[in-house]
Amino acid sequence: MTTATPQTANRAATGTDPLALIDVDHVRFYVGNAKQSAFFYASAFGFQVEQIRDLTTGSRESAQYLLTQGNIRFLLETPLSKNHPAATELAKFGDGIKDIAFNVFDAEAAWKAAVKNGGESAYEPVTASDAHGTVTTAGIKTYGRTVHTFVSRTGEYALPKIKQGATFMPGFRSIGPFALNEYNKQHPCGLKFVDHAVGNVEEGKMNTWVDWYEHVLGFQMFKHFDDNDISTEFSALMSKVMASGNQLIKFPINEPAAGKKKSQILEYLEWHDMTPGVQHLALRTDDEIASVAELRRRGVDFLNIPESYYQGVWTRVEAMLKQHGHAGVKEDHARVRDLGILVDADDEGYLLQLFSTPLQDRPTLFFEIICRRGSQSFGKGNFKALFESLELEQERRGNL
Ligand code: FE2
């Protein structure tokens, strides 16, 4: 029942640690058709399609679209020829996340520190500059096909300016009028930032990558109340959570484990060329009910929660909250059930969460919509409850 102490927070504040992370700069997706994907993420999830870098701006290698919502920045990139590295990756993996990029004070210094700590370089520092400022990027390889890029920015390209709509980096331009942007301003989905990004790795490799985040990036194990519950006969996966020093972002690492059913992690790997990658991004909202209601209205497909789940959840959650002196769940219980939202509690409070179905035809990447009311964990209580509910449904159908 402990939470990690952010021991590097002070170093982060003074900027003396090259690996101090300021923010998630952006998340880069490789997609088969960025023009169409931009429409999907705008229409389904309410993103603003802001900027573009493509043939019209002189980029002959790839097309990139910058989508934003709250403090979330997605770059959707499509190769324009078979020679672009993304073309090979798309053939192997389909659409998915290539890069979770961190904003740092000095990208070159961060990259050097990570490499010195044992990280493998993905690409060396490169600086794009013009009269308005500079953007320096350098990348290291993490699990499977995934990269962490370090980004440092100066002048008009500084992150606070980007958040206010400044040009993302040299070569980008404003998309101009885009009808869905106005619609999305009037009908917000309320997504604020990336809460966590989950990696699926091969069986037996979870601890390798846990060590990697600790030694290469200076992350720490994020302990939470349900450590003992990490692997059950139902969940068929093992998971450990690594947190950046300032707890800016958390990276749960999953590996498959033997269970009653085929592991969802193994299914992911089988459709991902047996290569580790990002399984889901959790996007944070302050109002789970409003966000999920709007996303459902737009046609986002979520995991179906059996009615039986709600027969036990309130007793379980309210008992935990009461035991630790917290007020009960303030959201309307009937609305939570009607929207099919999951609830979990720990010693610090509760959370509401819901998982989308895969975002592409392969059963790989999906989103989680999460709202935290004190709880800093990941809904482990739902693993067992969800599987038990599913089995209950199976039993009712005579299939168990
Ligand atoms: Fe999650």
Side-chain angles (χ1 to χ4, degrees):
M1 306 220 182
T2 55
T3 47
T5 310
Q7 294 174 357
T8 55
N10 289 335
R11 284 191 293 163
T14 57
T16 54
D17 177 0
L19 287 169
L21 308 182
I22 300 167
D23 210 335
V24 177
D25 194 275
H26 62 272
V27 179
R28 182 183 301 270
F29 296 60
Y30 279 169
V31 295
N33 187 333
K35 186 171 186 171
Q36 291 188 2
S37 289
F39 245 93
F40 170 76
Y41 288 106
S43 171
F45 289 94
F47 281 84
Q48 296 286 310
V49 183
E50 279 199 3
Q51 299 180 33
I52 189 173
R53 181 183 196 177
D54 67 352
L55 287 174
T56 67
T57 68
S59 170
R60 305 196 69 79
E61 291 77 39
S62 74
Q64 300 182 57
Y65 288 69
L66 174 70
L67 273 62
T68 67
Q69 183 170 177
N71 191 32
I72 307 166
R73 285 165 294 280
F74 288 166
L75 275 183
L76 307 178
E77 182 168 25
T78 280
L80 294 176
S81 82
K82 65 181 180 185
N83 300 322
H84 191 282
T88 314
E89 294 209 11
L90 282 164
K92 285 185 183 171
F93 311 125
D95 287 11
I97 289 175
K98 175 62 187 174
D99 189 344
I100 298 172
F102 303 126
N103 190 258
V104 295
F105 295 100
D106 180 338
E108 183 169 355
W111 173 83
K112 279 182 179 165
V115 170
K116 190 170 165 231
N117 291 343
E120 183 185 347
S121 175
Y123 64 96
E124 297 194 350
V126 52
T127 297
S129 63
D130 61 16
H132 304 294
T134 66
V135 180
T136 300
T137 52
I140 53 163
K141 293 179 181 175
T142 177
Y143 49 79
R145 53 88 61 107
T146 320
V147 164
H148 289 311
T149 283
F150 299 110
V151 187
S152 52
R153 301 166 166 280
T154 68
E156 290 300 308
Y157 298 114
L159 194 59
K161 305 218 168 180
I162 303 299
K163 291 179 184 179
Q164 283 158 25
T167 303
F168 187 67
M169 58 188 294
F172 279 81
R173 69 165 170 85
S174 166
I175 200 105
F178 186 72
L180 271 177
N181 286 350
E182 196 47 49
Y183 181 86
N184 287 339
K185 277 178 196 154
Q186 288 164 15
H187 304 86
C189 292
L191 306 179
K192 305 282 191 203
F193 58 91
V194 179
D195 183 274
H196 59 276
V198 177
N200 281 347
V201 302
E202 309 100 319
E203 189 172 352
K205 289 291 167 62
M206 176 182 70
N207 286 324
T208 306
W209 290 106
V210 163
D211 289 347
W212 186 93
Y213 277 96
E214 190 175 336
H215 293 121
V216 175
L217 291 183
F219 281 29
Q220 292 159 347
M221 177 80 77
F222 184 76
K223 291 179 183 167
H224 47 94
F225 85 106
D226 47 7
D227 264 350
N228 295 331
D229 196 44
I230 228 157
S231 178
T232 74
E233 62 174 320
F234 303 101
S235 65
L237 68 84
M238 305 225 294
S239 183
K240 284 185 178 173
V241 181
M242 299 306 290
S244 66
N246 55 4
Q247 311 234 338
L248 167 72
I249 185 167
K250 297 178 187 74
F251 285 98
I253 309 286
N254 292 341
E255 72 172 43
K260 280 188 172 180
K261 296 160 194 281
K262 181 176 193 166
S263 156
Q264 54 166 308
I265 314 304
L266 186 55
E267 185 196 33
Y268 173 100
L269 291 171
E270 285 178 349
W271 288 97
H272 203 252
D273 204 38
M274 292 312 286
T275 305
V278 176
Q279 178 210 44
H280 74 266
L281 273 191
L283 306 175
R284 184 92 154 252
T285 172
D286 294 336
D287 186 342
E288 184 80 6
I289 285 181
S291 288
V292 171
E294 176 61 19
L295 294 166
R296 280 198 184 278
R297 197 182 63 78
R298 288 161 175 261
V300 173
D301 214 12
F302 291 101
L303 273 196
N304 264 323
I305 310 306
E307 179 60 33
S308 57
Y309 170 85
Y310 295 97
Q311 290 167 14
V313 69
W314 300 118
T315 315
R316 173 170 64 84
V317 165
E318 301 287 352
M320 175 67 79
L321 291 172
K322 197 173 176 188
Q323 182 192 337
H324 294 282
H326 300 297
V329 174
K330 69 177 183 182
E331 282 78 5
D332 185 277
H333 291 199
R335 283 283 281 159
V336 169
R337 186 196 60 217
D338 291 347
L339 288 165
I341 292 165
L342 296 159
V343 192
D344 196 23
D346 60 21
D347 55 331
E348 296 178 295
Y350 68 95
L351 61 81
L352 304 129
Q353 64 184 169
L354 190 53
F355 303 96
S356 80
T357 56
L359 299 163
Q360 56 292 307
D361 292 296
R362 296 192 195 204
T364 49
L365 177 69
F366 60 87
F367 286 163
E368 172 183 350
I369 309 299
I370 186 167
C371 175
R372 297 187 180 280
R373 304 277 189 227
S375 169
Q376 296 305 313
S377 52
F378 298 86
K380 283 277 160 42
N382 282 325
F383 277 30
K384 204 170 173 189
L386 201 53
F387 275 85
E388 284 172 345
S389 295
L390 288 168
E391 293 197 344
L392 198 61
E393 292 295 304
Q394 277 177 271
E395 199 168 18
R396 279 184 184 146
R397 294 190 295 266
N399 290 334
L400 199 68

